[in-house]
Amino acid sequence: MALSEIDRSLLERCLSHKPAAWKDFVDRFMGLFVHVIQHVAQARSVRLTPEDRQALCSDIMLAILRDDAAALRNFRGQSSLATYLTVVARRVVVREMVRAKAAARLSEANLNKLATSDTVIDTPEERLSDREEVARLMAALPEEEAEIVRLYHLEGKSYEEIGNQIGLPVGSVGPLLSKARLRMRQHATGQVG
């Protein structure tokens, strides 16, 4: 389906910063964004709170508005605007869910568990102590390795994103991450001085 005249006009108004254009955009497409969020969450068996949904809607709008609405400026009109925005929204939601899952799975407490043992950490005091231990272990790493560990495990970034951010070939990120994990395990078990 081609770009409708209504959407073409709305797009032009938004990109020209006309009064009330963004309100009309939100009114027209927020339901679509909520549907995409619910569909992706259901497909990934993720339970969302109303706050999670609101945060994801905000993430979608920020992605659309980033760099003077570059996402909309890049739209070529070869599909309906709704189809294009569905793809944009899905990418944002999947990326954010992957980051959240990675952060939860490998939070600072879980990262220490990986480095030391399978002991479950239950109390806030243990979690605080564990966070300090993770900081100590990361401080023992060379700066580049510590940054890779932080970006991958705590921020949930992909190898490609890490490589681009710190200026490394993508193929180097995995080996450096493995090396950093090994050093952390060695420091945690006292095998390194």
Side-chain angles (χ1 to χ4, degrees):
M1 173 184 260
L3 180 63
S4 72
E5 194 53 46
I6 292 170
D7 286 344
R8 182 184 316 278
S9 172
L10 179 59
L11 189 60
E12 288 172 4
R13 289 176 41 232
C14 288
L15 294 176
S16 300
H17 305 287
K18 299 287 184 193
W22 286 108
K23 180 191 176 304
D24 293 345
F25 180 89
V26 170
D27 290 346
R28 182 158 175 86
F29 293 109
M30 191 54 66
L32 173 70
F33 299 153
V34 170
H35 174 75
V36 169
I37 290 165
Q38 291 171 331
H39 180 75
V40 172
Q42 184 178 14
R44 293 175 169 262
S45 300
V46 174
R47 281 198 180 146
L48 296 176
T49 65
E51 293 80 16
D52 294 333
R53 280 187 207 81
Q54 183 65 36
L56 288 167
C57 283
S58 296
D59 291 335
I60 293 168
M61 285 303 297
L62 286 172
I64 290 169
L65 294 171
R66 188 173 296 121
D67 298 325
D68 193 29
L72 293 181
R73 291 184 191 287
N74 291 331
F75 176 58
R76 299 293 170 234
Q78 296 173 342
S79 66
S80 70
L81 185 56
T83 299
Y84 178 77
L85 291 173
T86 297
V87 172
V88 171
R90 185 181 183 288
R91 287 180 180 164
V92 170
V93 172
V94 168
R95 182 188 68 226
E96 293 304 319
M97 285 185 180
V98 166
R99 282 187 183 163
K101 186 174 182 179
R105 185 183 73 232
L106 294 167
S107 66
E108 293 174 18
N110 290 336
L111 184 57
N112 187 46
K113 259 197 287 187
L114 278 178
T116 57
S117 71
D118 292 331
T119 305
V120 176
I121 298 168
D122 290 323
T123 67
E125 294 80 17
E126 287 173 310
R127 290 175 198 264
L128 179 59
S129 170
D130 197 50
R131 181 174 289 133
E132 291 166 358
E133 178 67 7
V134 169
R136 185 186 70 76
L137 292 171
M138 286 181 65
L141 294 174
E143 186 176 324
E144 185 176 59
E145 290 178 16
E147 181 69 359
I148 290 171
V149 167
R150 185 184 65 74
L151 291 171
Y152 185 79
H153 287 292
L154 302 180
E155 292 187 19
K157 296 200 181 238
S158 69
Y159 285 6
E160 184 176 358
E161 290 171 319
I162 294 169
N164 290 338
Q165 185 168 336
I166 62 177
L168 282 175
V170 174
S172 300
V173 174
L176 283 170
L177 184 59
S178 294
K179 187 176 178 182
R181 288 178 183 143
L182 177 61
R183 282 186 207 252
M184 290 177 73
R185 283 187 197 98
Q186 289 171 339
H187 279 284
T189 58
Q191 294 176 2
V192 172

